[in-house]
Amino acid sequence: MNADFCHSRRHFLGTSAFNLSALGLATLLRDDGLLAAEKPPLAPVVYDTLPKKPHHEPRAKAMISLFMGGGPSHMDMFDPKPMLNKWDGKLFPGGEIKFDNSGGATRTVMGSPFKFTKHGQSGIEMSELVPHMGGIADDICLVRSMNLKGIRNHVAGMKAMDTGTGLNGRPALGSWITYGLGSESRDLPAFVALVIRKNPPGSPFWSSGLLPSIYQGTHVREQEPRIMNLDAPDYLQGSAQERQLAFLERVNSRHLAQHPGELDLQARIASYQLAARMQTAATDALDVGKESEATRRLYGADNTTTKPLAEACIIARRLVERGVRFVQIWDYSWDMHENINEALVKRCAASDQPSAALVKDLKARGMLDSTLVFWGGEMGRLPVIQTRGKNGKPGRDHNTDGFSIWLAGGGVKNGHIHGATDEWGLFATEGVVHHHDYLSTVLHLFGLEEKKLAYKRNGRAETLLNGQPGRVVTELLA
Amino acid sequence: MPLDLGAALSFEKDIRPILKAHCFHCHGEEGEVKGGLDVRLKRFLEKGGESGPAVIAGRPHASLLLEQVKSGEMPKGDKKLKAEEIAKIEQWIAEGAKTLRVEPEKIEGHFITEEERQWWAFQPIRRPQVPAGEANAVDAFIRAKLKEARLAPSPQADAATLIRRAYFDLIGLPPTAEEVAAFEKEMRASPHAYAQMIERLLARPEYGERWARHWLDVAGYADSEGYDDADAERSSAWRYRDYVIRALNADMPFDRFITEQLAGDELVGFPKQGMLKPDEIDKLAATGFLRMAPDGTGGTKDNVAKNAVITETVKIVSSALLGMTVGCAECHDHRFDPILQQDFYRLRAVLEPGLNYAGWLEPKRREISLRTPADTALEAKLKVELDAIEAAYKEKLLDYQAWTLNAELEAVPEDLREEGRAAALKWQKDRDKSLTDAEKKLIADYPFLKVNNTEQALNLHIQRHPERVKEFEADVAKHKEDVAAVNARMPKIGSIRALSEMPERPLPATRVLLRGNLDSPGPEVGPGDLTVLGDVVPVNFAPKDKSLPTSGRRLAFARHLTGGRHPLVARVLVNRFWLHHFGRGLVNSAGDFGAQGEKPSHPELLDWLAAEFMQQGWSLKQFHRLVMNSATYQQSSLRRADAERLDTANVLLWRMNIRRLEAETIRDATLAVTGSLNPQRFGEPVGVAEDANAQVIVNAGANGAEFRRSIYVQQRRSAQPWQLAVFDAPQMEPNCELRNVSTVAPQSLLLMNSGFVVAQSQVFAKRVMAEAGADPARQARRAWELAFGRAPSAEDHRDATAYLEQQAKELPAGSDAPEKALASLCQALLGSNPFLYIE
């Protein structure tokens, strides 16, 4: 598709953390035509995470995605529907409702007990569940018209939002972006996945799929040690480990010289270099304790309810500050088939303040313009009651036909509402944004064109959407 | 998009698959005809729906179908059509909307087209002619394709590479340096050396441990229940693991291996607990295969959890043996393959008498006890011995009681002693009941007169009388020992986590669940295989085999699968075996032989291997011999520029692939090289635990059990040892058909800094010092030989020696600096590419 673009990533593996190996030098010289090749060179493609030029001028340089898996209820948080309260307890008068879980499904309308008010100069209506988000209303672009084109369940939905299809084996958005743009940080992974609470079903969502594995996300845990095995062993403190790794790299390089073009052998060498640099860089980047008391309080890191997401958000900001391209926080705790009104209060109490603080903090540090923030999940919820579970308190089933997410910074409009659902919150009806459109738009903000961001495999150019139609939603762009 | 304009497009071949994937759901399937339009036949498209004809042959731009898909108006549901698909529809209409044959008037029930039936994987396995010119059939097929592509095969790899490759492939452990050296000599001396080496490996007990791991991946083996956060342990799942290891070591024919796993209980007849013969125990352990799915029915009684177990088991069985994504048909007809929704439920009906809602056995109750009559007799005999010991001991305690009372009375004023004795004896008989008020007062004044006859009570009294303390304590200890000695002889009665169908029960009705919903049961279906296979092999089973007390469904299914005519089973198996030898299957998508998977690179070879496998009595070891003795397998893995240009991905196998060791193999090989490997086989797994850094590790300090091979490490779904997880050991949700191979920094961090690797490097260093002494040059050579099975090149040796000397000099001064330097060298070798990759 775009031979030049592929060609441009033929670099040596980045200057080595230690010594430029003999092999590396030879390869460089040969590539530059300075060294006569004794046998025909294989001209292997070398993949790396050095910074690359985008296709056009980018608006975003980094992204922090707060992926709220399970399906935050849009009609209780972001998308007021007075009709629901009017019809509360009555049978839904409209057409077919697609239930994902028929267990306990009803057609009885459920109103929202949560009061909506207008926020900021933009007057965006949000509910009392998310007062802090209300406080950043003028900084966000609220999309009320998401739709997954018929994909219904969690795993397929999260994969759709993250990889463009509900199927297995496709690269994550973070992998595509780091493949396209590399990383500004040589000392940290280009793509980091921070998981709080439990892994979402269908994990890992940070797999590079068919892309080379150096574009895979690095998993950071909720508790210490956030990255396993980060400290050098006692017997190799100081420069001893550097000498050891330099020796190891010489062994690996001589081995690679016998197998030129083996991508996995190259990737292993690169992964040791990165690991060595991460030992110092990641320890620092992941240390929430280095933040001021005021910052910790801003995020709610001082409060047990908000602490998990607060620390994740602080770390995300610290990583992006250090040049990491893509940070995705996974909080799979929004699936509320029963007792939704109590569960939402708890979940929002844990999430509202840290999420809003991230946007405020990025703004205060002048990072918001170049950092795209995503907040949302793979679905919203239905306007009707689902009764499941012992206590019989109502919940809501999945809705992928209409739901809300918000974006901030990184070149999107602020204080803006895009699209709408019908009066029940059931279907996105105005300005519908499909997952394909969302993904195309994110790539566009990074200066990448979806069709040009191709990876050649077995003679076929693979792209994120692979021919599925996706539109850059220009209405969202500032 | 340019299209192949050679042949006219047809509805069946070109158009229907597009409509099936995108449109059938609302226009034809399950009686759903939105807008009155059914698109399953060209005839229906021409007839059209409420808006008139959808297709007018020859007039694409007057055809509603084209207009709708072009405008994006349709399909409403999932993704839109691709441009090339729309272009195809347009071309097809323009060409006159051709069909290959006359279409039926109407569709009765479900309809599978001729084209779908003709999919390669559903065709009978015929044994193709072997191309001429090669002694080994594998070579004949591979080289014929290479010749077509004008590619030359690669030369044989050197002896050291060959033996290392063969060792890892067959036993999952590296050869020792001595074995490599001996083999190099044999290769020079004898043309049979290589084949003999393969034979030796096939006979090793480690062979079964290696190949069981592959099978346990597809079976979804786990030592815990999963399903919810509790992830309860499965205490006896390991008997299934041991069954698999033993079966593979014995080269049990795969037809029998499969039959026992699907229907071992039916082979045994309803097992008579307490009377099981060893052979019956094996067959019941085999059914552990059907107990591997995540199972939440120990924690919750609802049908949702039971349904999940059955559904996941159907998925495991079908992906392991049929290689098709049957699970996709749980809620609707498969979008891409001719797998009907009812096929999923026909397979479910095979299992459902054994996994029956009625009489459901939650995990704890499904254990079948391994008690034998001899166990019961021995228990009775030992019980008698125990009773005798207890009786004698009781006597002894009564003696102590009498003596103690006398001793205690010494502390009572003399004039009260007789009264005191009378009161104390009464108290011994019935406590306060018959005491007079005066006696009560006396006992209250002298409470130590309450001498009970229990061991504990007497102990407290006797401590006040030093003269008999020693004697008493000795008696207590002796009693404890006597009891323990008898108990130690009690039979240890294990149990099996088996699937054993209850006999003579009314068979459960299996109903299609509409849209997969438990609450929407549809029509009832009987047991059967995929409908599309009906041309090749009968897909319905006789309802009941009268000779069996059980339904006989699983046994009939197993015989159907292994009868030699099933088009999928043998192909799926040999493809997976091939994958484990070459790092890539002949069908690259080992778990999906359908339209979404990849087609075979060498279809004739695949069929020949499948036919040969069955003809050789379904023998896996015979398969290894055939493949590993081929020149194709023995090729060098080096890349060649000429071939690289034509076949970068090495699909045609002009060289051997370089493969990374799997998670378990890295750990096992490390233990083998350092000399720590504990060869103890079989039995309960060694547990896992979190270390001080919250890293899940193989339980340290388990008396050396922590150094057993990884297949004996507990497979807890929620607590996978990090050193295995980070190298892509699978999460069983519910099983794994193809492992991921990643290369990420956390792996490097593990090899650089983890407690396991550091400790093993130090053990390795001690071994090197013991074998090579203190000289750095000799140490470097020996470490290299042990890690890689071969001597270092001059450059490698120079570099390693210089590294050792420099590191020892620079490390903090101390007598242990040279040992630390050596350990750091050992660690580097264990984390290096020559160690982690098979060439």
Side-chain angles (χ1 to χ4, degrees):
Chain A
M1 282 251 160
N2 188 328
D4 284 344
F5 189 64
C6 281
H7 189 74
S8 72
R9 57 189 65 255
R10 274 189 50 207
H11 305 281
F12 180 58
L13 294 164
T15 41
S16 146
F18 307 105
N19 289 316
L20 194 65
S21 66
L23 164 87
L25 188 59
T27 308
L28 282 177
L29 294 174
R30 193 156 60 220
D31 280 1
D32 289 336
L34 298 174
L35 194 74
E38 56 273 51
K39 47 184 178 178
L42 295 175
V45 181
V46 176
Y47 296 93
D48 60 45
T49 56
L50 294 177
K52 317 274 185 306
K53 257 197 156 57
H55 302 124
H56 58 255
E57 196 56 39
R59 299 298 304 269
K61 286 189 178 150
M63 177 162 178
I64 298 174
S65 159
L66 306 184
F67 204 98
M68 300 291 137
S73 181
H74 56 297
M75 62 247 317
D76 290 305
M77 298 167 69
F78 302 118
D79 194 6
K81 294 294 162 195
M83 276 296 265
L84 299 186
N85 289 26
K86 228 178 274 170
W87 281 75
D88 186 36
K90 300 196 186 87
L91 278 183
F92 178 65
E96 189 193 2
I97 296 178
K98 297 254 187 195
F99 299 105
D100 204 26
N101 290 266
S102 62
T106 76
R107 285 176 60 91
T108 307
V109 174
M110 172 155 74
S112 174
F114 305 108
K115 222 175 88 200
F116 278 76
T117 41
K118 292 189 169 173
H119 293 274
Q121 294 189 336
S122 52
I124 296 179
E125 275 188 278
M126 285 189 261
S127 87
E128 59 189 335
L129 286 171
V130 286
H132 290 89
M133 292 190 201
I136 54 160
D138 290 342
D139 293 310
I140 68 170
C141 175
L142 178 59
V143 181
R144 283 179 174 160
S145 52
M146 291 300 296
N147 175 299
L148 292 193
K149 293 193 175 185
I151 289 175
R152 303 238 165 259
N153 65 37
H154 295 294
V155 174
M158 290 189 285
K159 288 203 188 290
M161 287 293 284
D162 202 40
T163 73
T165 111
L167 305 171
N168 282 326
R170 299 292 303 179
L173 175 62
S175 297
W176 281 110
I177 291 177
T178 47
Y179 167 69
L181 297 177
S183 174
E184 301 295 328
S185 168
R186 291 183 54 250
D187 305 335
L188 292 167
F191 171 16
V192 170
L194 270 155
V195 181
I196 63 175
R197 279 172 272 275
K198 56 182 178 179
N199 274 352
S203 273
F205 284 94
W206 41 95
S207 159
S208 60
L210 51 91
L211 291 176
S213 50
I214 57 167
Y215 302 113
Q216 187 162 320
T218 296
H219 178 195
V220 170
R221 309 180 343 139
E222 183 179 358
Q223 325 84 358
E224 293 290 345
R226 295 187 191 268
I227 294 179
M228 292 288 190
N229 304 307
L230 212 45
D231 299 324
D234 289 342
Y235 86 113
L236 293 178
Q237 290 293 327
S239 58
Q241 193 179 49
E242 281 177 33
R243 280 191 299 278
Q244 181 197 37
L245 293 177
F247 166 70
L248 172 58
E249 184 160 322
R250 294 197 297 275
V251 172
N252 281 341
S253 298
R254 286 193 293 269
H255 181 250
L256 177 62
Q258 293 160 18
H259 300 279
E262 286 290 347
L263 291 185
D264 284 354
L265 301 182
Q266 293 170 0
R268 175 78 46 206
I269 294 174
S271 93
Y272 267 110
Q273 295 168 347
L274 175 59
R277 296 190 301 262
M278 273 169 66
Q279 290 189 133
T280 39
T283 307
D284 172 61
L286 300 177
D287 187 354
V288 181
K290 296 221 165 125
E291 294 288 324
S292 73
E293 198 52 44
T295 304
R296 293 167 53 79
R297 223 175 301 122
L298 173 70
Y299 282 85
D302 54 343
N303 173 325
T304 47
T305 311
T306 40
K307 188 175 173 190
L309 188 60
E311 292 196 334
C313 286
I314 292 174
I315 288 172
R317 193 217 76 219
R318 289 177 65 87
L319 289 171
V320 167
E321 254 173 343
R322 286 159 177 74
V324 171
R325 187 70 72 187
F326 194 94
V327 183
Q328 194 155 36
I329 296 172
W330 284 91
D331 178 4
Y332 184 83
S333 58
W334 293 84
D335 194 20
M336 299 173 183
H337 292 276
E338 54 191 276
N339 197 12
I340 186 167
N341 291 337
E342 286 171 41
L344 263 182
V345 171
K346 280 192 195 155
R347 189 54 30 231
C348 288
S351 315
D352 179 39
Q353 184 186 349
S355 307
L358 176 65
V359 172
K360 284 184 207 160
D361 194 22
L362 287 171
K363 193 177 176 188
R365 290 166 196 261
M367 294 167 66
L368 189 59
D369 286 344
S370 61
T371 306
L372 179 63
V373 180
F374 165 93
W375 196 102
E378 75 284 16
M379 55 178 66
R381 310 211 75 88
L382 290 179
V384 289
I385 286 179
Q386 181 175 29
T387 50
R388 213 170 76 168
K390 289 178 206 86
N391 64 18
K393 291 188 182 170
R396 298 183 190 270
D397 197 2
H398 309 159
N399 179 5
T400 49
D401 293 327
F403 62 100
S404 305
I405 58 139
W406 57 257
L407 300 165
V412 296
K413 285 181 181 162
N414 50 20
H416 182 74
I417 297 174
H418 173 86
T421 50
D422 58 25
E423 56 194 345
W424 306 99
L426 188 55
F427 283 97
T429 49
E430 284 170 38
V432 178
V433 177
H434 295 302
H435 51 294
H436 298 148
D437 306 327
Y438 154 71
L439 292 166
S440 298
T441 308
V442 171
L443 292 185
H444 175 85
L445 289 166
F446 274 95
L448 296 167
E449 287 175 45
E450 190 277 324
K451 286 196 171 58
K452 281 194 194 170
L453 182 61
Y455 175 74
K456 270 210 159 178
R457 189 180 67 150
N458 289 353
R460 190 191 142 89
E462 303 272 355
T463 69
L464 199 166
L465 297 183
N466 251 359
Q468 305 171 85
R471 179 177 85 88
V472 175
V473 189
T474 48
E475 305 92 293
L476 304 181
L477 308 181
Chain B
M1 286 276 169
L3 283 170
D4 177 9
L5 297 171
L9 300 177
S10 71
F11 180 74
E12 293 90 334
K13 262 204 173 75
D14 304 292
I15 305 305
R16 187 179 179 278
I18 302 174
L19 302 179
K20 177 171 154 68
H22 297 282
C23 317
F24 278 22
H25 199 47
C26 299
H27 296 285
E29 220 170 78
E30 282 184 26
E32 179 98 84
V33 278
K34 289 236 165 94
L37 178 67
D38 187 336
V39 302
R40 292 177 297 165
L41 292 177
K42 177 219 154 189
R43 175 194 301 280
F44 296 163
L45 282 165
E46 287 188 327
K47 180 165 151 267
E50 287 157 15
S51 317
V55 163
I56 301 175
R59 296 176 58 202
H61 299 289
S63 295
L64 216 48
L65 170 67
L66 190 65
E67 184 196 312
Q68 291 283 311
V69 297
K70 256 191 168 165
S71 67
E73 186 64 30
M74 285 286 166
K76 285 262 189 287
D78 215 321
K79 49 191 179 189
K80 301 292 177 196
L81 268 56
K82 292 181 188 158
E84 63 209 61
E85 293 173 325
I86 295 173
K88 251 191 197 172
I89 294 174
E90 182 165 358
Q91 186 188 338
W92 170 68
I93 300 176
E95 288 171 356
K98 301 246 168 44
T99 59
L100 290 173
R101 63 189 74 79
V102 179
E103 292 184 324
E105 285 294 323
K106 53 183 181 177
I107 294 176
E108 301 281 1
H110 293 270
F111 181 57
I112 294 173
T113 65
E114 198 45 40
E115 280 58 39
E116 287 174 326
R117 289 180 195 280
Q118 278 169 13
W119 180 251
W120 72 269
F122 306 140
Q123 305 315 303
I125 298 171
R126 300 212 170 82
R127 193 184 174 91
Q129 187 76 37
V130 179
E134 297 288 343
N136 180 296
V138 169
D139 293 334
F141 284 106
I142 294 290
R143 291 189 170 180
K145 281 247 174 193
L146 285 174
K147 202 175 274 175
E148 270 173 41
R150 296 169 183 278
L151 277 168
S154 292
Q156 192 185 39
D158 63 45
T161 302
L162 283 178
I163 186 175
R164 191 172 175 83
R165 184 185 292 168
Y167 266 62
F168 275 120
D169 268 16
L170 286 182
I171 65 170
L173 295 168
T176 64
E178 288 65 33
E179 283 167 325
V180 175
F183 178 65
E184 284 176 323
K185 210 185 272 173
E186 287 161 21
M187 279 290 272
R188 284 191 295 272
S190 158
H192 307 299
Y194 176 84
Q196 286 163 353
M197 184 258 303
I198 299 293
E199 289 306 319
R200 287 198 296 273
L201 289 175
L202 288 173
R204 298 256 303 241
E206 297 93 340
Y207 163 82
E209 294 168 337
R210 168 65 163 156
W211 278 76
R213 186 59 263 166
H214 297 315
W215 185 255
L216 295 180
D217 274 14
V218 287
Y221 179 85
D223 290 305
S224 69
E225 301 291 357
Y227 192 80
D228 54 26
D229 291 345
D231 193 26
E233 289 186 39
R234 284 178 178 168
S235 56
S236 64
W238 56 269
R239 287 187 200 272
Y240 171 67
R241 175 249 283 151
D242 285 357
Y243 163 82
V244 173
I245 295 174
R246 290 198 170 100
L248 292 171
N249 271 339
D251 198 22
M252 179 187 286
F254 255 71
D255 51 352
R256 184 177 144 203
F257 184 52
I258 290 170
T259 305
E260 292 190 356
Q261 291 180 77
L262 286 174
D265 59 319
E266 298 202 297
L267 288 171
V268 171
F270 185 65
K272 302 139 210 74
Q273 301 221 14
M275 311 275 284
L276 293 173
K277 301 188 198 79
D279 164 64
E280 294 177 328
I281 292 173
D282 284 350
K283 290 192 172 74
L284 289 171
T287 64
F289 177 63
L290 299 174
R291 290 295 194 195
M292 284 302 140
D295 193 330
T297 62
T300 162
K301 304 279 170 259
D302 63 13
N303 282 349
V304 175
K306 291 177 191 167
N307 183 55
V309 173
I310 308 176
T311 301
E312 297 295 87
T313 308
V314 173
K315 288 180 189 168
I316 291 173
V317 169
S318 57
S319 63
L321 299 170
L322 304 179
M324 299 291 294
T325 54
V326 176
C328 296
E330 182 188 351
C331 306
H332 48 69
D333 288 352
H334 199 288
R335 289 274 169 269
F336 305 100
D337 295 323
I339 301 173
L340 308 176
Q341 190 192 2
Q342 44 172 289
D343 286 345
F344 181 91
Y345 291 90
R346 285 149 60 81
L347 288 166
R348 178 177 172 135
V350 172
L351 303 176
E352 202 147 355
L355 291 166
N356 191 346
Y357 280 6
W360 184 273
L361 294 178
E362 64 267 24
K364 278 205 179 111
R365 283 177 49 219
R366 66 178 66 134
E367 299 281 327
I368 293 183
S369 167
L370 293 176
R371 172 185 293 277
T372 62
D375 289 332
T376 308
L378 179 59
E379 263 180 7
K381 182 175 158 272
L382 295 175
K383 180 84 184 4
V384 172
E385 284 185 35
L386 276 182
D387 288 349
I389 291 171
E390 290 305 331
Y393 191 52
K394 196 170 176 208
E395 283 301 311
K396 191 156 257 172
L397 291 179
L398 289 175
D399 288 349
Y400 274 112
Q401 187 185 26
W403 180 85
T404 306
L405 180 57
N406 280 337
E408 297 286 44
L409 281 166
E410 297 288 318
V412 177
E414 227 180 309
D415 55 330
L416 292 174
R417 277 188 197 152
E418 274 322 298
E419 221 176 311
R421 176 186 306 280
L425 289 173
K426 271 190 189 173
W427 182 86
Q428 284 180 8
K429 211 188 315 165
D430 59 8
R431 299 296 181 261
D432 288 347
K433 271 187 201 141
S434 45
L435 292 177
T436 63
D437 286 348
E439 284 168 338
K440 272 183 195 162
K441 181 173 182 304
L442 188 67
I443 290 259
D445 288 344
Y446 304 100
F448 47 78
L449 290 180
K450 293 183 186 176
V451 180
N452 209 340
N453 62 354
T454 66
E455 182 185 285
Q456 218 179 349
L458 284 170
N459 183 41
L460 292 174
H461 288 282
I462 288 178
Q463 294 301 332
R464 288 151 50 99
H465 306 284
E467 66 269 35
R468 289 200 76 182
V469 166
K470 268 206 178 133
E471 182 194 349
F472 178 75
E473 284 178 348
D475 280 335
V476 169
K478 169 137 199 326
H479 169 251
K480 214 181 235 166
E481 275 166 31
D482 289 348
V483 170
V486 177
N487 278 332
R489 285 157 57 210
M490 285 284 181
K492 281 164 200 61
I493 299 166
S495 60
I496 326 173
R497 185 186 169 87
L499 184 139
S500 171
E501 186 177 323
M502 299 300 253
E504 316 298 352
R505 233 174 227 281
L507 291 178
T510 296
R511 292 181 182 283
V512 174
L513 299 179
L514 301 176
R515 312 255 155 190
N517 273 332
L518 203 48
D519 306 328
S520 318
E524 187 174 338
V525 293
D529 197 353
L530 307 182
T531 307
V532 70
L533 304 178
D535 294 345
V536 181
V537 64
V539 293
N540 296 302
F541 308 122
K544 179 142 169 64
D545 177 346
K546 291 270 185 280
S547 69
L548 289 174
T550 48
S551 71
R553 287 187 184 179
R554 282 173 290 115
L555 188 54
F557 180 57
R559 298 209 158 122
H560 153 82
L561 292 178
T562 59
R565 286 173 61 198
H566 199 283
L568 289 166
V569 177
R571 282 189 179 116
V572 167
L573 290 175
V574 296
N575 186 61
R576 221 175 260 134
F577 304 152
W578 184 275
L579 163 74
H580 299 315
H581 280 304
F582 290 93
R584 179 192 162 97
L586 292 167
V587 178
N588 195 23
S589 51
D592 188 359
F593 277 35
Q596 292 286 92
E598 289 185 26
K599 287 191 180 174
S601 56
H602 298 77
E604 301 81 13
L605 174 56
L606 179 68
D607 278 15
W608 188 87
L609 287 170
E612 175 72 5
F613 175 61
M614 292 189 282
Q615 192 173 319
Q616 296 288 339
W618 299 73
S619 161
L620 175 53
K621 287 193 176 177
Q622 207 46 43
F623 182 91
H624 295 309
R625 289 185 183 102
L626 174 70
V627 168
M628 297 179 80
N629 281 305
S630 73
T632 302
Y633 177 81
Q634 294 170 45
Q635 287 180 104
S636 154
S637 62
L638 293 182
R639 289 167 178 253
R640 304 195 321 262
D642 61 324
E644 194 78 7
R645 273 192 290 274
L646 292 168
D647 180 20
T648 322
N650 191 29
V651 172
L652 297 178
L653 286 170
W654 51 268
R655 66 181 179 98
M656 190 52 166
N657 289 314
I658 288 193
R659 288 165 287 156
R660 199 200 75 205
L661 297 178
E662 294 101 327
E664 296 86 348
T665 319
I666 293 173
R667 180 176 168 277
D668 294 354
T670 302
L671 293 170
V673 162
T674 64
S676 306
L677 187 67
N678 174 345
Q680 188 196 338
R681 292 181 219 295
F682 305 121
E684 289 185 24
V686 51
V688 295
E690 275 191 7
D691 71 5
N693 290 320
Q695 181 162 177
V696 178
I697 56 166
V698 180
N699 216 350
N703 281 328
E706 69 267 37
F707 301 128
R708 298 179 67 190
R709 287 193 79 169
S710 304
I711 196 154
Y712 300 117
V713 172
Q714 189 184 42
Q715 320 268 309
R716 191 106 195 247
R717 290 177 213 259
S718 58
Q720 204 175 17
W722 180 247
Q723 71 179 123
L724 300 180
V726 78
F727 280 106
D728 310 305
Q731 280 282 347
M732 295 307 181
E733 307 277 356
N735 63 341
C736 170
E737 298 138 19
L738 192 60
R739 289 192 179 200
N740 191 23
V741 183
S742 70
T743 315
V744 292
Q747 294 167 350
S748 301
L749 288 169
L750 179 114
L751 296 168
M752 287 156 61
N753 301 331
S754 72
F756 172 81
V757 174
V758 169
Q760 283 301 310
S761 303
Q762 283 156 0
V763 176
F764 189 7
K766 287 207 161 58
R767 177 175 183 186
V768 171
M769 282 189 298
E771 296 179 15
D775 172 44
R778 291 185 59 196
Q779 285 179 346
R781 175 175 301 279
R782 189 61 189 151
W784 202 277
E785 287 170 354
L786 286 170
F788 307 138
R790 59 164 92 199
S793 71
E795 190 182 359
D796 284 330
H797 189 221
R798 230 181 354 257
D799 188 17
T801 308
Y803 167 74
L804 269 182
E805 286 167 345
Q806 194 206 356
Q807 188 70 292
K809 217 182 303 163
E810 307 249 359
L811 278 168
S815 57
D816 60 350
E819 186 178 338
K820 282 182 177 166
L822 180 57
S824 78
L825 175 92
C826 291
Q827 190 185 355
L829 299 185
L830 292 176
S832 70
N833 282 344
F835 185 76
L836 298 172
Y837 291 82
I838 317 174
E839 290 169 33

